[in-house]
């Protein structure tokens, strides 16, 4: 098994995938706000695209752990700017 496949596999076991609506709920915002602001924010985790019949690129999902790590990084960045 290639090294990158192992890291992706272990990440998926410890962190569930979130839909856009679930990611918005985690971030306490509306799905529309998530789509227009968070999803396009610099450094925000890239989605994993699951296959789907209707969606040309598949259904986007985000690793919960990566979203939480991004939030923590934003908090620490804000704190360092405030000093």
């Amino acid at each position: 098994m290639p090294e990158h496949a192992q890291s992706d596999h272990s990440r998926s076991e410890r962190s569930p995938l979130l839909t856009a609506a679930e990611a918005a709920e985690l971030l306490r915002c509306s799905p529309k706000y998530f789509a227009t602001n968070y999803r396009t924010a610099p450094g925000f985790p890239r989605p994993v695209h699951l296959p789907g019949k209707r969606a040309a690129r598949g259904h986007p999902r985000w690793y919960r752990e990566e979203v939480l790590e991004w939030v923590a990084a934003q908090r620490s960045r804000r704190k360092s700017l405030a000093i």
Side-chain angles (χ1 to χ4, degrees):
M1 180 180 272
E3 186 178 317
H4 71 280
Q6 288 177 336
S7 63
D8 287 347
H9 180 69
S10 63
R11 183 186 333 158
S12 65
E13 285 183 10
R14 66 176 190 247
S15 181
L17 290 171
L18 303 172
T19 64
E22 291 167 337
E25 185 177 331
L26 182 66
L27 296 168
R28 297 183 179 158
C29 67
S30 71
K32 183 176 181 178
Y33 190 87
F34 172 77
T36 58
N37 294 287
Y38 285 113
R39 188 173 176 179
T40 59
F44 192 78
R46 296 184 60 105
V48 173
H49 291 277
L50 301 179
K53 292 181 182 179
R54 293 184 185 174
R57 291 189 59 214
H59 301 284
R61 300 289 188 268
W62 291 263
Y63 286 107
R64 184 177 194 276
E65 182 177 307
E66 289 181 356
V67 173
L68 293 174
E69 287 172 359
W70 182 84
V71 169
Q74 298 309 303
R75 285 183 182 155
S76 70
R77 183 173 161 255
R78 280 187 153 178
K79 286 179 183 178
S80 67
L81 292 174
I83 295 174

